[in-house]
Each structure stands twice: as structure tokens, then as C-alpha cells.
Amino acid sequence: MAEEHYLELSENPVQFEHASSVNNVFFDEANKQVFAVRSGGATGVVVKGPDDKSSVAFRMDDKGEVKCIKFSIGNKILAVQRTSKSVDFINFIPDYPHTEFSQECKTKNANILGFCWTNWNEVVFITDQGIEFYQVFPDKRSLKLLKSQSINVNWYQYCPETAVILLSTTVQGNILQPFAFRNGTMSKMSKFEIELPVVPKPAKLSLSERDIAMATIYGQLYVMYLKHHSRTANSPSAEVVLYHLSREGSCKKSHVLKLNTTGKFALNIVDNLVVVHHQSSQTSLIFDIKLKEPDCALNIHQPVLPARSIHPYRIPLSGPAAVPSQPPVPCQLYSSSWSVFQPDIIISASEGYLWYLQVKLPPTVNLLQDKGKLMDFLLRRRECKMVILSVCAQILEVGEKGSLPVVATVFDKLNQVYKDYLEAEQSYTQAMESGPSRGSAAQKRPVRTQAVIDQSDMYTHVLSSFTERKGVSHKFIIAVLMEYIRSLNQFQITVQHYLYELVIKTLVQHNLFYMLHQFLQYHVLSDSKPLACLLLSLESTYPPAHQLSLDMLKRLSTANDEIIEVLLSKQQVLGALRFIRSVGGHDNASARKFLDAAQQTGDQMLFYTVFRSFQQRNQRLRGSPAFNPGEHCEEHVAHFKQLFGEQALMKPSTV
């Protein structure tokens, strides 16, 4: 069987001038931009971003080697670091002065390690002696210090998604101090310690910047530590330790991902999955921190799937040297020239490519045998709907032996998500109807993700085609349909009538009328007007269906009009008349409707009885047997006279 690659590089990568033709390549994680810098005379800069809007080319004065270069959000202001003492700024806002202005760090004898934009006009300098938070005034070409903090810094990391900067402090570097930035404010978060592997004395380990990454997983910020175990340790394999970083409260060690091997690793986050690339084996592992391992402590995770390499990628040849007949060149995966950035970016500076790493869900289906676990995994992924529906169809294809409990588990997992969405939608609707309450935040409309598989999805993509499959026993088909209905009922989700119709049609197709009768008698199939109408249509095949339908309509107290229509259509005019009296609707009934139906039967005595009945009603209600002009019964009065003579008409009774 061909190896199934569940990871791939994006089809349309961002292309930039590769490292051999420029002096330096920089990547800005906040704007997802690559800066290719070429020096000599003037410094030429080509910026490539995820789209054309974020791509730009410009020249600037050559004032020394560029150490770091980044745009503020929206390409408004460019910041360039050339020395360890200051950062230069250039306005890119239209109609603003384009001249450079500079800002030295305030702390004496400090060296700038780097800088981060936290807003379009707010920047943080990280020095070896602390951090300095500035507001930039592009019109005045100046900066104002908002806040600073003194602390010895070895290195730093920045998470642009949450605007949190992580500083490595102390000699071993394993005491980490986070700072959060929001709307012009800087707040110090709780510092925490990374547990380093134990090594024999006198050796001492220090925490390397390469082994730390920050990323958001399932909406929560984590610090990921790649822990390489020492050879003397009992557990020789490496692991990734996740520390949950909350804005309030302490940072806690929350998950351990077991890599079961050693070597050089790199981390990405794709679709809330932690992807660990292993260079020597040229494979990647994926972990889902929401999947609980039955045999392990709650926070210890094994890879979800066996290790696989990223899908082979071919670089198309372009430019003047390209010949149409030349095949694309295979890209060297897991190359030592690759740089990995959070959350899902891989850059090959030597080839001049920036890719987004992507998860392919279809190959995971055959790699994960436990269908319950597979569903848990798929339901948390972005593009999951069609894959989930294909898994449902596949489970039903496998056959009947022992698969019903699996089918039940899958249905329950799907309907749990479906129910959660329906409840959130209902809660939102109620909140909107009652208006905003004091002190409570405005409620957001729940987002319908692809994980919400509703009844129409199941009917259209799975169940309707399943009931028509040849070679499957009708018992299994009915069992599966009833299992889905059971699951919906368990989660108190109203079953749509078309699912009941599918059950009835399947039963009729296989002449299982006794079962149909039982299902209706014991209310396994819930009463509804469409269902009653379907039963009526089955009368020619199964005569008792007529009475079953009427009984159902009677139970639906709102269905009186439908019952009368049904009885009249069957020319059971007296039955309809008796029914309308029994429910107290005779006084408001349309005489014309009943007289039309009686006349169409051709039965003169029936017409007489119905006509006389309505005359008596008129006499009782209005003191006269005559019909009002609004009742449009002139035609029927004329027909009555023609049949029985004018003297047969009731005369108004006098008191």
C-alpha cells in the first residue's frame, strides 16, 4: 500500500530571492513577510507577504549591515536595526515625511537584542538589560517611552497572535518572564521555571532558544519546550512539554508529548495539532492535546498517527533558463536549510520559498483504526465535514458483523456536537429577543463549523444511498436507521420527518408491514403531518395505512383541517362531518367544501343529508336556515331545488 502522507506544503508558496543572491533574508512572524536585503551603494529590499497587498520593494540608504527589519501592522512604519544601540524608522504612510528617524535604547550600556511591533504605532525594544515599550509618532518623527522594565535577558520570543513577549532570564536561562501588551499597556505576567533534564555533576545545562516555541492551541497560549533527555537518564527519548500560559494566575505544566526517539526536532502548529518534525528520519508526528490516552495519565500524549514524511513537493522551474520539457525539481524535504516558524510556516532560504504546512485529512482515515478516536480527531479539524461523512459511509460499507456498536458510537459523537451547536444557537436567539442585559457582554452568534453534521447532511450523503445498496440485509439497514433516530432522541434533537419517511419506505419496500404497524403503534416513529400524508399514500399497498394515518392526525390536535381534507378526498363526507362535530368545529366549517364533496359523489341522499345538516346549523346560529352570500352556496341551493324541489328547503322556524 502506498505511504499515506497526511502533511503537505501549500501549493502556491511565497517566492522570494534566495539566500545565494542576497546578503540577508529576514522573516517577520507578525506580518508573515519575508525581507530579502541586498547591500551595496544603496540597500535594496524586496518584501514578499502572503498576498500582493503585503508585498513591496524599496531602496534605503546603506548605513551598515541590517540586523533586523520589520514593518508595523499594515506596512505603515518600517523599523530597521543596524546597531546594538538604536533602531531606525521610516514612514510608509502616504503624505508623511519619508525621512529616517532614530531611537536609542534608554538603558545605559544595554545592547538591543531585537524589537517587536505590538500595534501599528507601538514597538518594544528587547535589550540584554530589560524591555522598553514605545509609542511612535510618525508625523512628529519621534518616539515616546510608555513603560520600561529592568531584567537580565538572555534571549526572547514573541507571539504576535497574543502580543506576548517571553524573556529568558538567569544564568541557566530557564526562568521565563512573560509580558503582555494590549491597547498601549504593558503587563507583567507570572514568571515560571522550565524543568531542565537532570545531568551528572558538575555539568550544567542551560535552556536554548531553539528548544522553546510559543503558540496558540485551541484558543489557549502555550510555551512548548523541546526536552532532549540526557543519555544517563532512564528515559532516553525526547519529549515536548507544554506549559499553559494564562494572563491571570501562574503558568502550569499541562501536557507532555512523547516523541519516542532522539535527534533534531522542529515544531509547528497546524489546525490545533502540534506537528513535530524529526530531521534524521525525515518524518513528522502529530499530537492532539484534546485526545485523551486511555492508558496514560491525563496529560501524557502519544502521537495520534504513525510517523510519516511530508508529501513530496516539486519545485517548478521558472525564469529564462526554464525549458518547457524540463520536469519540476524535487524539493529536499527536512533540509538543514529549512527554518520553521509559528504557527505553520516553513522557509527554505536556499531555495527562496515560504510554505504553509497543511494537514490532509483523507489519509488519516485508514491510519487510525479506532473509529471513535478517529471521529474525536476529525471533529476538531477545520475542513472535516466531507471526510466525516465518507467515514460514516465507509463504516456502513464494511458490513454488519459487530459494526452496530461502532455505528452507535459514531452517531453519538456527531450528535453531541450537533446538539451543542443547536443549544448555542437557541441561547443566542433568546439573548437577542430579550435584549442586552446590564453588565453582561454582548453575546456572539455561534459559528457553525464543519463539525456540525445535521440530519440533512446524514440523509443526503450517507443514509439515502445506504438504503438503496444491494447486498445489504434489510434488517441491518433498518437497525442503522433506528440507531441514528435513537441517537437524535437521546440528545433531544427533533427528528426530521424525512428520516421517518426513509424508515417507512424501507419497511414497505421489503413488505415489513407488521414492523411498520408496531413502530407506529408504539410511537417509535413520531407523529407528524408529512408522515400521516405518506401513510395515506400507502393505502393502495397497505389498506390499514389509511386508519393509521387518521389516528396519527387525530393525535396531532392541530391537524383537524388535514383530517377533514383527507376524509373528503376519500369521499367519506359523513365521516368528515362526524369528525368535525366531535372536535367542535361544525359551527365554523365551510359548508361549500362539504357540499362540493357530497355533490361529487353523485349520491343524492348523501347530498340531501349534508345540505340539511348545514341548514339546521344556520337555523341554530342565525335563526334562519338560509346560507349567507359570503358562503357562496348559491350553486348548491340551485342543485338541491333541482333534485328535491323548492318545497323541500327548510323554512325559517318562528317562535
Side-chain angles (χ1 to χ4, degrees), residues 373-384:
K373 192 174 175 182
L374 174 63
M375 274 300 149
D376 289 337
F377 173 76
L378 291 175
L379 283 165
R380 297 194 185 100
R381 308 287 76 82
R382 276 193 300 265
E383 304 291 322
C384 64

Side-chain angles (χ1 to χ4, degrees), residues 579-594:
F579 174 76
I580 202 164
R581 279 183 183 143
S582 73
V583 296
H586 186 236
D587 290 357
N588 301 315
S590 162
R592 182 183 174 182
K593 185 188 284 186
F594 281 82

Side-chain angles (χ1 to χ4, degrees), residues 428-617:
Y428 171 78
T429 307
Q430 286 170 350
M432 289 300 101
E433 285 169 358
S434 60
S437 57
R438 192 176 295 170
S440 71
Q443 208 170 345
K444 283 185 183 173
R445 187 179 192 124
V447 177
R448 183 177 179 136
T449 66
Q450 285 210 9
V452 178
I453 309 286
D454 63 19
Q455 296 173 63
S456 71
D457 293 325
M458 282 299 289
Y459 176 84
T460 307
H461 298 283
V462 181
L463 298 175
S464 57
S465 55
F466 169 63
T467 57
E468 290 162 17
R469 277 234 328 275
K470 300 283 182 282
V472 182
S473 82
H474 58 263
K475 284 183 182 172
F476 183 60
I477 290 173
I478 290 157
V480 167
L481 294 175
M482 296 316 295
E483 197 54 61
Y484 186 58
I485 288 168
R486 173 211 57 79
S487 180
L488 291 168
N489 285 327
Q490 184 178 313
F491 289 98
Q492 298 173 316
I493 299 168
T494 306
V495 181
Q496 295 298 319
H497 64 83
Y498 47 76
L499 290 172
Y500 290 136
E501 285 174 19
L502 199 56
V503 174
I504 291 172
K505 282 174 182 171
T506 307
L507 291 169
V508 170
Q509 200 178 340
H510 295 284
N511 295 319
L512 298 170
F513 297 113
Y514 68 93
M515 199 181 275
L516 170 60
H517 213 111
Q518 283 184 318
F519 280 177
L520 292 164
Q521 200 173 353
Y522 295 109
H523 306 295
V524 175
L525 306 176
S526 299
D527 297 342
S528 73
K529 290 178 190 178
L531 209 56
C533 293
L534 175 65
L535 286 171
L536 273 177
S537 70
L538 296 173
E539 189 186 359
S540 56
T541 320
Y542 182 54
H546 174 68
Q547 192 55 47
L548 288 168
S549 166
L550 284 182
D551 293 345
M552 185 179 285
L553 287 167
K554 278 180 188 170
R555 289 193 297 272
L556 293 162
S557 53
T558 57
N560 294 341
D561 292 344
E562 280 84 354
I563 296 174
I564 290 160
E565 292 294 342
V566 167
L567 291 168
L568 292 178
S569 70
K570 301 283 178 189
Q571 298 196 338
Q572 295 183 15
V573 185
L574 289 179
L577 207 52
R578 277 195 296 274
F579 174 76
I580 202 164
R581 279 183 183 143
S582 73
V583 296
H586 186 236
D587 290 357
N588 301 315
S590 162
R592 182 183 174 182
K593 185 188 284 186
F594 281 82
L595 292 168
D596 272 346
Q599 193 172 331
Q600 280 168 16
T601 64
D603 184 335
Q604 293 184 6
M605 287 319 294
L606 174 66
F607 184 75
Y608 182 91
T609 307
V610 174
F611 191 89
R612 184 52 59 98
S613 161
F614 280 102
Q615 276 197 312
Q616 287 167 346
R617 180 199 72 171

Side-chain angles (χ1 to χ4, degrees), residues 214-434:
M214 267 198 299
T216 304
I217 310 169
Y218 291 116
Q220 301 296 316
L221 180 60
Y222 289 90
V223 172
M224 302 184 287
Y225 166 46
L226 192 50
K227 189 174 186 180
H228 303 274
H229 280 292
S230 60
R231 285 176 187 165
T232 54
N234 296 332
S235 169
S237 296
E239 57 192 30
V240 177
V241 184
L242 266 59
Y243 292 83
H244 180 222
L245 198 54
S246 58
R247 283 188 182 269
E248 289 84 29
S250 58
C251 178
K252 291 189 176 74
K253 177 178 166 180
S254 57
H255 299 275
V256 177
L257 317 181
K258 293 288 188 183
L259 303 184
N260 307 317
T261 186
T262 56
K264 270 180 114 177
F265 300 96
L267 302 171
N268 274 134
I269 304 294
V270 185
D271 205 358
N272 290 313
L273 295 167
V274 181
V275 181
V276 184
H277 307 291
H278 185 228
Q279 195 178 9
S280 58
S281 67
Q282 298 201 348
T283 58
S284 302
L285 292 166
I286 59 171
F287 294 85
D288 185 346
I289 62 169
K290 282 208 173 178
L291 275 184
K292 303 282 186 283
E293 292 292 331
D295 311 331
C296 298
L298 279 182
N299 60 346
I300 295 177
H301 302 267
Q302 293 294 335
V304 178
L305 301 168
R308 291 286 184 268
S309 69
I310 295 168
H311 194 281
Y313 186 87
R314 293 183 174 276
I315 296 172
L317 290 171
S318 57
V323 178
S325 60
Q326 270 185 296
V329 180
C331 166
Q332 191 195 337
L333 301 175
Y334 303 92
S335 159
S336 55
S337 71
W338 274 18
S339 300
V340 172
F341 295 94
Q342 299 313 316
D344 55 357
I345 285 163
I346 294 173
I347 291 178
S348 172
S350 61
E351 291 163 324
Y353 278 95
L354 178 153
W355 294 281
Y356 291 94
L357 187 65
Q358 297 166 341
V359 173
K360 290 196 299 180
L361 293 180
T364 66
V365 172
N366 297 323
L367 290 170
L368 201 51
Q369 295 309 311
D370 180 337
K371 297 305 173 201
K373 192 174 175 182
L374 174 63
M375 274 300 149
D376 289 337
F377 173 76
L378 291 175
L379 283 165
R380 297 194 185 100
R381 308 287 76 82
R382 276 193 300 265
E383 304 291 322
C384 64
K385 177 167 278 188
M386 295 318 294
V387 182
I388 288 173
L389 292 168
S390 75
V391 170
C392 293
Q394 189 189 55
I395 293 169
L396 299 181
E397 265 174 35
V398 169
E400 306 160 31
K401 231 177 184 179
S403 60
L404 212 53
V406 177
V407 170
T409 301
V410 167
F411 286 164
D412 286 348
K413 286 182 185 294
L414 296 181
N415 288 329
Q416 177 68 67
V417 176
Y418 182 21
K419 174 67 175 174
D420 291 346
Y421 170 73
L422 291 174
E423 282 184 343
E425 187 70 50
Q426 188 182 9
S427 158
Y428 171 78
T429 307
Q430 286 170 350
M432 289 300 101
E433 285 169 358
S434 60

Side-chain angles (χ1 to χ4, degrees), residues 26 73 384 655:
F26 299 94
I73 294 150
C384 64
V655 179

